[in-house]
């Protein structure tokens, strides 16, 4: 049984063996650009927040 290739996450077309999971190098670049521009967030807690004051001096 031939497995159906996954759809391209960018445009939804059938992915190409050469560029999977994308269908074309164009979609590959689009995905890479999303990573670089921060559209995709790494799941998990935010790393190194310097804007968070320590929960001290709570004498109220
Ligand atoms: Zn595509």
């Amino acid at each position: 049984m031939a497995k159906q290739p996954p759809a391209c996450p960018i445009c939804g077309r059938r992915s190409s063996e050469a560029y999977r999971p994308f269908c074309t190098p164009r979609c590959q670049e689009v995905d890479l650009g999303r990573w670089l521009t921060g559209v995709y967030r790494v799941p998990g807690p935010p790393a190194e927040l310097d804007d968070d004051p320590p929960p001290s001096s709570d004498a109220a």
Side-chain angles (χ1 to χ4, degrees), residues 7-15 21-24 26-28:
C8 172
I10 303 301
C11 66
R13 295 185 182 184
R14 275 197 305 170
S15 62
F22 311 104
C23 62
T24 60
R26 172 70 67 181
C27 284
Q28 209 171 22

Side-chain angles (χ1 to χ4, degrees), residues 35-46:
W35 274 102
L36 293 180
T37 52
V39 173
Y40 290 164
R41 298 293 178 93
V42 181

